[in-house]
Structure formats: C-alpha cells, structure tokens
Amino acid sequence: MSHPRFTRRALLGTATAVALGAAAGPARAATAAQVPSLWREFTRTPYTHPQIPYIGGAGARRHPRRPLVLDVRRYGAVADGVTDSAPAINRAIAAAGRAGGGTVLIPPGTFRIDDVIRVGHSGVVLRGAGSGRTTLYATRNLTELIGVYGSRYGGDKSSWSWAGGLIWLAPSARWDSLVAAIRAKAWPFEGWTGNRRDEWRQLTTVEPARQGAWTVTVADASRLRPGELVLLRLSDDPGHTLLEHMSGGGPGPEAYSWDDKTKLLSYVPYEWPVRVARVHGRTVTLERPLPLDLRPEWNPQLTTHVEELTGSGVEGLTLEAVQTPQQPHLLDLGYNGVVLQCAYDCWADDVTVRNVDNGFGLVAASACTLSRTTVAGRGSHHPYFCREGSHDNLVEDFTIEQRTVPAPAGTQLHGINVEGLSSYNVWSRGDMRMGTFDSHRGLPFANVRTDITVYNDGRHGGDANAGPLFGARFTHWNIRVTNGRAGLMKLDQLAPYSATVGLNTVTEFDQIDVPDFTGDLHTRLELYGTTDAVRPRNLYEAQRRL
C-alpha cells in the first residue's frame, strides 16, 4: 500500500468541484454557498495544516466476511421476550470465533438477555434483521453482572459511568483480564498495554519525522511485517514538550501548568495503533500519516500491544434495557449499550440503544466506524463516549433522540464526548436533539465535528487535574445550533490552533467556557452567522474525495 499522491492542480480541481455542489446535497442553504479560505489552504497542505486535521482516512476498512453463518436459534435462543437467550447467543458467537470468524444471525423478534453479549474473536459479525426488527431486551446491569467498578483515580464514582457495554466487543483475553481486575477491585487501565500498561515490548526505535509523513525510518525493521498492527509510542519529557506540541506549541501552552495535572499525566505515553503497509530496508510505510512529530526527546518507538480485535461488528438490531430511572451523576449502574474496546477496524451499523445509561463507547478503539446509530429512550449520561486514547474513528449518520422522560434531579447529560488524548476522530452527519460537543478534558486533539444539527443543552465534564478541554486542530465545520447556545460550539476563544467554519449566530448562556491557554490561540473563524453556506458541506466527505 502506498499513500495518496496529490498534485496542487488535482486538489484545487477537486475543491472546485465540491464547492460547486458535488458535496452539497439537498439545497437547504439560507446563505449563498461559499468556499472558505481555510479549505483552499487545506488542499495545499492536507497533512500539515495548522488548524484543520487530515481525517480523510478515519473509520473501518471492512474485510471480506467468512462464509460461515450461524443462527442463534440453533444454539437455543428463543424470540419470546421471556427466555434468557444470552447463553445461546454467546455460544453461537464463540463457535464462530473458534471457526476463525463468521456471521451470527439473530432473526426478527425480541430476545431477552440476562448477561453481557461478548464478541471476543476477530472476524465475527453479530447481525440482526434490522434495528426495527430484532431486539435484545437487557434485564440486568453491569454492576449486577460483573461487580462494582470504582475509579482508578479514587473517590466513590462508578466507572460504569464511562466504561463497558451490554454488547461488548473486545479481545477475549483483554475482556477476561478487565473483569478479573474489577472483581479484585484492582481498578485497571483499559487500553492497549494492559491493566497496568506494562504488556508491551519494543520492536524498534524510530528516527525523527514530521507530522503528516507516511514513512518512517527505523533502527531495525527485522521484526516488522506488512499488515501487522503496531503501536507508535511517544513519551513526554520533563518539560512536557509533547503535551505542548499536542496543543499547537507557542507561549500559551509553554506557560500552562502541566505538572499538577496528575490525571492528564497518567494518559501518557501517547499510544497510536497503526498497520504497517510496507517495509523496505529500514523504511517503513504506515497505513495512515503520522499524527504528531517524532522527536528524540519523546523516545519514539514501535511496540507490541495486547492482541487486537479486528474485522468484527454488530449490525441491524436494537438493544433495549429495562427502563429504570437514570442514576445520579457518576453513579451509573451500567445499563450501557455497545462498546468497542482494544478494537481496530471494527464497526457497528444500524444499531439503536434505548433506555441506557451510556450509549455507544469507543475505549482504546481505533480505525472503527459507528454508522446509522441511535440513542433513544429515557435519557442517558453519555450518549457517545470516546476515550482512553481512541484514534481515527468515524461516527456517521448518528441520532440522539430527545429523552422520553424528564431528567431526574442530580443527573447530567453530555453528548458526543471525546477525551484522554484521543485524536483524529470524526463525527459526521448527526442529528442531536439534545446534548453537546462534550470534552472531558484530558487534551483530546485533532478531532472534527461536521454537518451536525444540535439542540445544545448538554454540559461538558472532566476533572481539573485532567488538563485542557482541547488540544490543537479541533474543527467544527457546518454546525447548525437550533437553540443558539454557543457553549462548546464556537471554538475561536477556546481551542488553540483550531477552526470554526459555517456556524449560525450563537450566544453564551448556561455553562460558560473559558480558555485553558493564555494569549493568541491562533484559532480561525469563517462564515460565522451562516447556515449551510459553507462548501464543501461535509469536511470528512470532502477529504475522502481528495
């Protein structure tokens, strides 16, 4: 695999075509269509633009499916809404896993589940007959099924408020180790290098390189193979120059107090999963361009990791939890929806979750896609959460429905969340009838929200010791705020080296956000006060066309 080669003429030609309507969709603009200068700049430097990240490669690249098809009814599942079908469904999934992959079919009807549905082997797809036809009715929560899950940072919070799902896609060994740690009350890290972040070994060191490069030079390529998934690992230095780099650099990040942000500091080293595309001598071509510079002081290296889940998905079903009142903030019991964890190139498609505490989760997940997903029912804490170093994911054609019952006192609503050094993630074509563009701090950077309608009534979270709300290269592109609230929508006074393009007029009220960094943020604002005027209309789709 080689990386795309752009010429300026081809890029500008594509930009012009998109601007003239290739990406416009239905004519809904309240203002004449306009191509911002930021787009023209981006087409000249797509991998290194200072405000807009390259996210054209986000999401899964689905693999050919194995011919094996298993029907859960053969394993004892019954669509009567009464019989516990979780053991039968899990037996069918395990059989597909032992066979090296396959599709597990759940026919139309309502299947009661009294346990977690676990997809733990690569190449296994759990497929219903459609989100309006197949329903899994969940009667128990994760606290009942696995146990109390405290926070590794102390306090009385429940980690089921941001982790775990009643449909849980994660490598079997990783899931087993997480559950064992929770039951032993040894609250784990949840990512690619194990519960204590020590399950890795160095493959090779990497020579200095610049953000956006597709090739790197390594000290020793003998242990690298095309198609292999590796971790790029970057450690911070005592001066926290890696964190400053993630924030765009300059006087503001240099003046920021990093040393007391203990939660943020626990997130580094930065771990970025990527496939090796080609090895030629000591030159290694990667599947995606580098997310950051590689500098000697950050000890850049390629390493191993826990075994990944890849090529697996869940499709065409509704997960409905028994309706219970939403719990007070951070005390969720774990009526959670679908979570992808330590997953690469996995997906959920045409899936609805209803009456859940937390809807869809990406936890140390990379290159995954959530498409045509909906969060519905009595209201949720995190409709979508993206955390623990999740990168290069795509959430498209998503809906957060208005809650069906009033929010109980003491609860909180967030929205589409990103945190914990997560980077290069995309939320595209969304209909948010409640919630906000949430960050829980932890310096997420280079993330994009594009072509989204939002009734902006959620609030952001995050402990002060988790550091900044935003790093550099956040982009909000063609955002329609139906209630006119500015919070977390308009980035020009919040996020460093970022961009807001094509936003209708908004004003500050309710939670008022303040910037983490002093001085000039070098953040751009274009086509403010317009609705659907910006062309290209969808930044992700336009980058894909390039």
Side-chain angles (χ1 to χ4, degrees), residues 327-524:
Q327 293 296 299
H329 189 222
L330 300 177
L331 297 178
D332 294 348
L333 297 174
Y335 288 106
N336 295 348
V338 179
V339 164
L340 282 64
Q341 184 163 4
C342 294
Y344 191 95
D345 207 358
C346 294
W347 66 89
D349 182 26
D350 183 27
V351 176
T352 294
V353 297
R354 182 172 287 115
N355 300 330
V356 294
D357 294 334
N358 302 281
F360 293 88
L362 297 163
V363 181
S366 291
C368 294
T369 296
L370 306 179
S371 59
R372 300 189 298 163
T373 56
T374 299
V375 181
R378 52 92 155 146
S380 57
H381 178 195
H382 295 95
Y384 292 82
F385 55 96
C386 177
R387 50 177 295 271
E388 203 77 4
S390 290
H391 315 291
D392 304 300
N393 298 295
L394 171 64
V395 182
E396 63 180 355
D397 299 307
F398 66 95
T399 301
I400 302 174
E401 294 187 357
Q402 182 57 253
R403 62 190 313 133
T404 55
V405 297
T411 62
Q412 195 163 122
L413 166 68
H414 298 305
I416 52 174
N417 157 261
V418 61
E419 60 182 281
L421 302 185
S422 295
S423 62
Y424 295 87
N425 301 290
V426 184
W427 292 260
S428 169
R429 294 196 307 265
D431 180 7
M432 296 175 59
R433 301 166 198 173
M434 63 178 190
T436 194
F437 291 179
D438 173 40
S439 164
H440 270 35
R441 301 189 178 274
L443 197 61
F445 66 94
N447 297 285
V448 168
R449 284 88 168 233
T450 183
D451 196 7
I452 298 172
T453 300
V454 53
Y455 185 89
N456 184 23
D457 64 349
R459 301 174 70 86
H460 78 69
D463 296 335
N465 66 1
L469 282 169
F470 304 104
R473 299 190 305 286
F474 258 79
T475 303
H476 291 173
W477 187 285
N478 192 19
I479 306 300
R480 304 168 289 274
V481 184
T482 59
N483 61 338
R485 178 178 167 227
L488 299 170
M489 304 287 132
K490 189 169 178 282
L491 295 174
D492 56 301
Q493 298 180 29
L494 288 176
Y497 287 92
S498 293
T500 307
V501 182
L503 172 71
N504 58 285
T505 303
V506 292
T507 57
E508 293 280 5
F509 60 89
D510 192 24
Q511 182 172 268
I512 306 299
D513 306 311
V514 296
D516 292 289
F517 303 110
T518 57
D520 186 354
L521 296 180
H522 301 280
T523 290
R524 305 274 291 276

Side-chain angles (χ1 to χ4, degrees), residues 31 33 73 158 180 186 249 253 260 408 451 465 506 521 527:
T31 309
R73 291 173 296 187
S158 167
D260 61 345
D451 196 7
N465 66 1
V506 292
L521 296 180
L527 297 183

Side-chain angles (χ1 to χ4, degrees), residues 1-2 33 36 60 67 70 81 104 127 160-161 163 199 211 250 301 321 331 372 375 393 395 502 514 524:
M1 177 187 299
S2 61
L70 303 176
V104 175
R127 182 195 293 168
W160 298 128
S161 301
E199 297 178 36
Q211 172 203 322
Q301 52 188 312
L331 297 178
R372 300 189 298 163
V375 181
N393 298 295
V395 182
V514 296
R524 305 274 291 276

